[in-house]
Amino acid sequence: VVYVDLFKFKAINDSFGLRVGDYILKVVAERLQSVVRKSDFIARIGGDEFVFLLYDCKEYKQFVERTLQEIEKDIVWESHVFNVSANFGIAIYPHDGTDFGDLLIKADMAMYYAKNSGKSYHLASQLSTDSI
């Protein structure tokens, strides 16, 4: 499970309005859809947060790096050029949890750790009790 939170998005929404924000979310969603395999699943779970469910993905770090490159491409709206980024949290079955709910919670916690640490991603397995 890969939990994604867009970075720099709130400032765009606040400064340019929901119409521009919705457009940017649509572009990002299309980019996210373009990086998944047919066996994978992606969903927007609210606001500027998305979740990937990747089936048997051993190259998850490369997946996150490739996904981040797609997200960070410029987005043009009329005469404005926008750049958003993202923070990712990764939880791996069965090490980090044995059901989707546990994996989602751990991936979310790892994402927030990455966000608060200035990192692009963090693994749930590397969370210590001090960082939770």
Side-chain angles (χ1 to χ4, degrees), residues 37-49:
R37 304 166 299 178
K38 289 182 181 185
S39 61
D40 300 331
F41 178 79
I42 182 170
R44 178 177 172 214
I45 58 171
D48 61 350
E49 297 178 334

Side-chain angles (χ1 to χ4, degrees), residues 58-131:
K58 293 175 182 34
E59 304 295 328
Y60 53 86
K61 289 180 184 177
Q62 291 85 347
F63 172 81
V64 166
E65 290 166 1
R66 188 173 66 249
T67 303
L68 186 59
Q69 287 176 348
E70 283 297 312
I71 292 171
E72 290 181 339
K73 290 179 180 177
D74 289 344
I75 299 172
V76 178
W77 170 267
E78 296 178 354
S79 62
H80 300 282
V81 177
F82 298 97
N83 184 269
V84 295
S85 190
N87 300 100
F88 299 79
I90 304 167
I92 302 168
Y93 172 87
H95 184 275
D96 298 316
T98 56
D99 64 51
F100 178 72
D102 286 343
L103 292 168
L104 185 62
I105 290 168
K106 296 271 182 73
D108 182 38
M109 292 186 328
M111 182 278 299
Y112 274 102
Y113 184 83
K115 188 176 197 172
N116 293 331
S117 302
K119 299 164 65 175
S120 56
Y121 69 89
H122 195 77
L123 300 173
S125 61
Q126 294 176 341
L127 289 172
S128 67
T129 54
D130 296 337
S131 62

Side-chain angles (χ1 to χ4, degrees), residues 3-18:
Y3 201 107
V4 183
D5 180 70
L6 297 183
F7 180 66
K8 302 180 187 176
F9 178 75
K10 184 176 178 353
I12 293 169
N13 238 2
D14 291 347
S15 298
F16 293 90
L18 295 177

Side-chain angles (χ1 to χ4, degrees), residues 1-4 6 25-45 49-55 63 67 71 88 100:
V1 172
V2 179
Y3 201 107
V4 183
L6 297 183
L25 281 176
K26 181 181 176 200
V27 170
V28 169
E30 289 170 356
R31 290 177 181 179
L32 295 177
Q33 189 66 41
S34 75
V35 298
V36 295
R37 304 166 299 178
K38 289 182 181 185
S39 61
D40 300 331
F41 178 79
I42 182 170
R44 178 177 172 214
I45 58 171
E49 297 178 334
F50 296 84
V51 170
F52 287 101
L53 181 59
L54 306 176
Y55 178 74
F63 172 81
T67 303
I71 292 171
F88 299 79
F100 178 72

